[in-house]
Amino acid sequence: MNCELLATCSALGYLEGDAYHKEADCLESVKDLIRFLRHEDDTRDVRQQLGAGQIVQNDLLPIIIQHGQDKALFDACIRLMVNLTQPAMLCFGKVPDDPVFRHHFLQVTSHLQAYKEAFAGEAVFGILSETLYTLLQLDWEQRQEEDNLLIERILLLVRNVLHVPADPCEEKKVDDDASIHDRLLWAIHMSGFDDLIKFLASSQSEQQWSMHVLEIISLMFRDQTPEGLVSAGHARSAEEKHRDSQELEALRQKELATKRSRTLQRGTRHSRFGGSYVVEGLKSIGDRDVIYHRNVHHFKNYTHDTGKAVRRVPKRNRQARECKDKRRSALNVRLFLREFCVDFLENCYNRLMYLVKESLIREQTQQHDETYYLWALSFFMAFNRGNGFRADLVSETMSIRAFHYIERNITNYYEMLLTDRKEATAWSRRMHLALKAYQELLLTVNEMDRSQDGSIRHSSSVIKSNIFYLMEYREIFLTLLRKYDETRQPQSYLKDLVESTHLFLRMLERFCKGRRGLMVQKRKVRRKRSHGKKTPSAPETSPEALVETWNIVEEELRTSGFQLSESLTENCVPFDAASETPFEEQKTEAMVRVQDALLGRLAPEALALLRAAREVWPEGDVFGSADVEPEEELELLKQILHANLPRSSPPEEEEDDAAELEEEELESIQISEKEFNFLDFIKRFSSPGIVRPYLLLLKSYSKNSPHTNHCIARMLHRLAVDLKMDAQIFQLSVFNLFNKILSDPAAAAYKELVTFAKFVLNRFFSLAAQNNKAYVELLFWKNVGAVREMTEGYGIDREETNPTWTEMEEEELRNLYEEHRHSEDPDIVETLLPLLSNSNRTRRHVVMQLVHMGLVENTKALKKPKKGTQIVLWTEEQEEELQMLYEEYKDSDDVLGNLLKKLTAKRSRARVVDKLLSMGLVSERRQLYKKRSRGAHGKSSGKAWTEEEFFEEPTQGLPDDCSDMDEEEDESGKESEEEKDEAQDNETRHVKRRRRGLPSTEEGAPDVGNTVYALQQQGLSGPLLWLQKSLYKTAKYRDDDGCSQDVPLVPFGEANEDAMENKTFRRLLRKLGLRPPANEQETFWRIPAEISDSRLKSAAAALSPREEEPKGDEEQEGSSSLTGGSQVEEVEVEKEEQGGEASGEHRAQALRALQLNRQRKRRTLELTAPVSDFTPSEETENILERSREKGSNKRSRLLEDEDKREENGNDSAMATAMETNDDPDSDREDISAPVKRRRKLVLIDDED
């Protein structure tokens, strides 16, 4: 022992006789030992040294017995002993594989066994019981935290001591003899500690100790069986006596048979030599017969394997080990445990199991603590069945919830058994424990059926109805039998599984006999592979079909009184704010959705969509006015139904292209009901995977209980007799087992097995007389199809599926084949099928007949060619061709489509994509996705013009309608901006950053003049100004930050709040692109993040107040053409003084706008030529002179207003735009201010 440890242990005290004398610093020494244990190494050296020094036996136990009144010392000793007695598995984590650590593990275990023997005395548990009783007497108000810790440590100490395993080498005890564990249990009983355990289990105020109590109880009954405790103290029943006499008779018959065989083997005369014999018909290594040199009586056991080395079975293929057998304790211990079980069931079971179950569900316990719950359920319910069954004592665990909980645990344990292979043994034991609990639930339900109480029988009927109805409970045994693995699950597990299956089938059969039309749940899993989205077939739109559809829709709407349910109204959303589809295009899609609903004869849904779309798009009364009548709605729906609406094809985006290159497996579970047939359910057991475990258990028939053998025989009888599938048992290993049973001296004890074996053998030999291949079939396990062929004849299925061919049909087929065999058609069978006179022939019939007639060698020669290609390897020529085609089409919109069309060796899309990636021609798949088509204007919009090219460009080809050209330019600008590639992302950001201060021509201000004027007449100029400021402020923040998000439009003041309730004001918000609250979580309207700062500024500029109502388009155009130039010049001069420079793209846009302006002026001058004395050039000069005279005054007025507008967060450029709009003679064309300024600048340069 380490010197420091030795000194610390010596400072504790010493034992003199029966008295222990403690030292002065005994308490500090105990605390030092606790600190030593806290810092021990991986070999647990401190623990081993303290165990070798017997610190528990010689010091700690005497201290707590004789000095228990010292509370601090007592607490420290209990704390130290809890640490010293913790299981070795917790110390090392698992059983070590390393030999050195395995030795340390065994040393710690041996010390724990010595501790357990020291605790097996009444004095120790007497002190623990007194202390625990004193602490439990305290109310929860008086109990301190230290008291709760001491209670928990005492319970942990008792649990650790009970958990110590028995030493098989030292404890070689027989049944009814007291082992160390029995002595420990007796000490617990004599000290009254068991009564405290029952109090903790039943008390409402001590429910926090429920898990500790259940662990202690499970360890107390570790070596016991419920049947053994039930029979303790009772005389043996007649059934037990009969069973024992049968076992003795079987042993006696075996002994007599052994003596008889020994007598027959003994010769009549003694001879030193056994003799030599030639075995005819049995060849040796050469060509001669075997020569046998031993006694002829032993020849029955002769085999060629005699003398050979036994092949070592790999560890992974060995059978799983059984757990240790149960032993029978001393009678007084069994009687004490029996009384404990009775009291526990009456007072504690239901409450304790409820608390533990709640803790497990809420995950307030440690890992694997559910095993204690499963053990307690199976043990105490089995004891209750044997000890005069009372359903009320186990009512807590007798419910559908218990079945569901155990079934879920069985499934989880099996999954972990497959995944966690290192701990497969532990998971197998847990799975066995769950199976035992499930079996006990079934046994208890079966016992409830026999009860005299009608309410109990009704409860059992309800439980059986549920477990037989649900598929997971009904098919759990099928799954467990099919998944049985003898290398991981012991034979005891298989025994319980077979017995549980027998019980379940017997209960199910009895349940079905008294009922007709029993319905059960059925689940069907459908798996399908999707190769891309399939466009749904369009509904029939013939005039007759439309009339019929409208009559049905009209009648349904009139019947409902045009009333819609609340759920339907809430779920109809015609507008998707997160979609990339523009706002106006979604209006068309909403109209199409209404039409689809009408075509599908879904009248309420169509009406709900129409009303929802009316709220989103109220302008223009496209979906009807706000105060529309039901009859008008009906007429509108009829117009939509008969309208020819444009339906856009689904967009080909990256997701669609990616879906074409890979397949996705989809699963759908359909739940339905079907009528249950017990015989059809038994048919599912007719499978080699299920029959094999039964026959594996039958091999140990001599060790099985009579009930286990009966369960096996009953299942085989169901298959062989009820289902007439006796041929499924025709297997050589089964016949060898039957031979052992028939030749067993104690065969009289297995009458049921003997009878069944004779029945199967008689059936086989009867079949072998008709089928000479039956002996070969013995070598194989057979499924249902093989059994049918073996019993009814081979090729029956083929004869049914292959109809006969007449001589004329064969001759016709031969002529057609000879005629088309040299054709270039790759699939000759598809060519022959429509030419045959018998149209009922299938491809398979033709192929099989061609092979039968010898026209082709085998079916592979006529295999249907796959779509795409069967080519796998690429030649050098094909790679060069692919590279050349890629270089040719790499700039096209559909690179991959062009490559697939032009390749000479046709291949699938996936093959071509993989080859392009491997050759390094593309770096990622998205480079091959189909690009969106660009309009003509979109392609040319990005071209930068110089001034010389612009002035050389002819103007005769320009369109006459300038407004149409502006709209086309706007659309092309938006299209081109959306089509920017990711490779130019940085450059795009830079261009946008330079353009952010200028409103773009692509985003013209919305036409809201009439709406603004109407709101002014209603007295809403204040809310309009507030809205304009909000838009300017949002645009400024987006310009400064470079990032955007949805901005709520919060109305401050009663006037603004009233305006937000105005329908006209809301219509204005929608026209400006603002969106209403999306759901109940949003209160205010929002400025979407998609709206750029330039568009916000344009929208704000469109809200400028007007003094008089706007006139017609012709007057506005005329005034703008005559007076707009001077204002544009003045703003441009101011902009030029600030030194601003526009980008090349804007310059090109300005040049085009100037070209449009020239043509507009030319048309205006042509119209006014008769009344004007000026030439166009003179008029231009006059305009320039007037503009120069007004320039200084205009500029000063703009500068005075600039400070005022800066306070409202508006920049100078936007203030200029507002000032020009305030002028009644200003330009009202939908051309933004920067374009006008640029156009005027070019005019001035031209004049100079």
Side-chain angles (χ1 to χ4, degrees), residues 125 132 151-163 181 184-185 188 193-194 196-198 200-201 209-222 336-337 340 344 352 372 375-376 380:
F125 277 96
L132 184 59
I151 293 175
E152 185 175 10
R153 285 168 183 162
I154 292 175
L155 295 176
L156 288 176
L157 178 62
V158 176
R159 184 204 66 178
N160 291 346
V161 173
L162 288 170
H163 188 274
H181 194 75
L184 192 65
L185 293 177
I188 290 175
F193 196 86
D194 56 335
L196 295 176
I197 293 296
K198 288 184 283 187
L200 290 173
W209 317 119
S210 57
M211 204 65 231
H212 295 297
V213 171
L214 188 59
E215 290 183 47
I216 292 174
I217 293 175
S218 66
L219 293 172
M220 287 172 60
F221 291 88
R222 184 172 57 187
F336 141 63
L337 292 177
F340 183 91
F344 182 79
L352 182 64
Y372 295 107
W375 172 87
F380 288 105

Side-chain angles (χ1 to χ4, degrees), residues 260-267 295 297-298 301:
R260 195 181 305 114
S261 63
R262 231 184 280 133
T263 303
L264 293 175
Q265 291 175 9
R266 192 179 301 118
N295 196 323
H297 298 290
H298 295 290
N301 300 325

Side-chain angles (χ1 to χ4, degrees), residues 890-948:
K890 67 179 181 180
D891 297 328
S892 62
D893 290 340
D894 189 5
V895 182
L896 191 57
N898 292 327
L899 294 180
L900 292 173
K901 291 178 184 177
K902 299 298 181 180
L903 282 174
T904 55
K906 300 301 181 183
R907 298 177 184 269
S908 64
R909 294 173 64 93
R911 297 287 183 189
V912 175
V913 171
D914 292 340
K915 193 61 182 177
L916 290 172
L917 291 171
S918 63
M919 294 175 64
L921 298 177
V922 294
S923 58
E924 54 184 2
R925 294 174 183 266
R926 63 182 302 158
Q927 297 180 14
L928 301 175
Y929 293 160
K930 189 180 294 184
K931 302 174 184 176
R932 297 179 182 174
S933 58
R934 302 185 182 186
H937 293 285
K939 291 181 181 179
S940 61
S941 62
K943 183 179 178 182
W945 286 357
T946 62
E947 295 185 21
E948 293 78 5

Side-chain angles (χ1 to χ4, degrees), residues 251-434:
L251 292 174
R252 179 174 173 273
Q253 291 295 336
K254 288 182 179 180
E255 187 178 358
L256 291 176
T258 304
K259 289 182 179 180
R260 195 181 305 114
S261 63
R262 231 184 280 133
T263 303
L264 293 175
Q265 291 175 9
R266 192 179 301 118
T268 55
R269 67 181 181 88
H270 174 70
S271 174
R272 183 174 299 176
F273 304 102
S276 298
Y277 305 91
V278 176
V279 184
E280 295 182 354
L282 186 62
K283 299 296 182 183
S284 61
I285 297 176
D287 295 334
R288 297 182 179 182
D289 294 335
V290 171
I291 300 177
Y292 187 66
H293 296 283
R294 297 186 181 184
N295 196 323
V296 70
H297 298 290
H298 295 290
F299 178 72
K300 187 192 305 183
N301 300 325
Y302 175 77
T303 174
H304 286 302
D305 295 333
T306 304
K308 292 182 180 179
V310 179
R311 178 178 295 179
R312 180 178 174 273
V313 180
K315 189 176 181 180
R316 64 177 180 275
N317 294 337
R318 295 176 189 170
Q319 287 190 353
R321 293 182 181 180
E322 295 285 347
C323 298
K324 63 178 182 177
D325 297 331
K326 303 293 183 181
R327 63 176 300 275
R328 192 165 61 230
S329 300
L331 180 60
N332 57 347
V333 175
R334 283 185 287 140
L335 290 174
F336 141 63
L337 292 177
R338 183 178 182 275
E339 293 300 326
F340 183 91
C341 286
V342 173
D343 293 342
F344 182 79
L345 280 171
E346 291 182 354
N347 304 310
C348 312
Y349 177 81
N350 285 331
R351 175 167 182 79
L352 182 64
M353 297 298 281
Y354 170 77
L355 294 174
V356 173
K357 179 73 172 296
E358 288 298 318
S359 300
L360 292 172
I361 293 176
R362 299 176 186 275
E363 297 182 355
Q364 297 174 350
T365 57
Q366 295 181 358
Q367 196 175 13
H368 309 315
D369 276 350
E370 72 276 359
T371 55
Y372 295 107
Y373 177 83
L374 298 174
W375 172 87
L377 186 146
S378 60
F379 186 90
F380 288 105
M381 293 184 74
F383 182 86
N384 183 48
R385 278 191 306 104
N387 192 40
F389 176 75
R390 286 178 54 186
D392 58 317
L393 299 182
V394 292
S395 59
E396 173 58 34
T397 52
M398 201 61 253
S399 62
I400 297 298
R401 288 181 59 195
F403 277 94
H404 172 69
Y405 180 77
I406 297 174
E407 185 269 337
R408 189 179 60 183
N409 276 284
I410 291 176
T411 306
N412 180 43
Y413 291 154
Y414 178 73
E415 292 175 355
M416 295 305 299
L417 179 68
L418 297 180
T419 55
D420 190 4
R421 299 194 176 185
K422 292 184 178 179
E423 299 294 333
T425 304
W427 289 113
S428 174
R429 290 175 183 171
R430 297 184 186 109
M431 188 175 179
H432 189 187
L433 200 57

Side-chain angles (χ1 to χ4, degrees), residues 526-633:
R526 290 189 176 182
R527 294 181 175 87
K528 59 183 179 178
R529 290 185 176 272
S530 63
H531 299 273
K533 296 181 181 178
K534 296 183 179 180
T535 56
S537 58
E540 188 178 0
T541 57
S542 61
E544 297 81 6
L546 291 177
V547 171
E548 181 183 359
T549 300
W550 175 247
N551 293 334
I552 296 174
V553 170
E554 184 181 14
E555 182 180 358
E556 185 176 357
L557 288 177
R558 292 187 183 276
T559 304
S560 63
F562 298 91
Q563 300 297 324
L564 301 176
S565 62
E566 185 177 354
S567 60
L568 185 61
T569 307
E570 293 177 354
N571 294 333
C572 286
V573 181
F575 172 69
D576 185 6
S579 175
E580 296 181 358
T581 308
F583 185 75
E584 293 300 324
E585 290 184 17
Q586 291 197 39
K587 182 193 296 185
T588 308
E589 293 180 0
M591 190 78 72
V592 172
R593 287 177 60 188
V594 175
Q595 189 182 56
D596 290 339
L598 292 172
L599 292 173
R601 299 180 179 180
L602 303 174
E605 184 177 348
L607 184 58
L609 279 172
L610 180 68
R611 292 177 177 177
R614 184 186 305 143
E615 296 180 1
V616 178
W617 294 281
E619 62 275 3
D621 296 339
V622 178
F623 296 95
S625 59
D627 52 351
V628 65
E629 296 295 330
E631 292 298 331
E632 296 179 5
E633 285 184 327

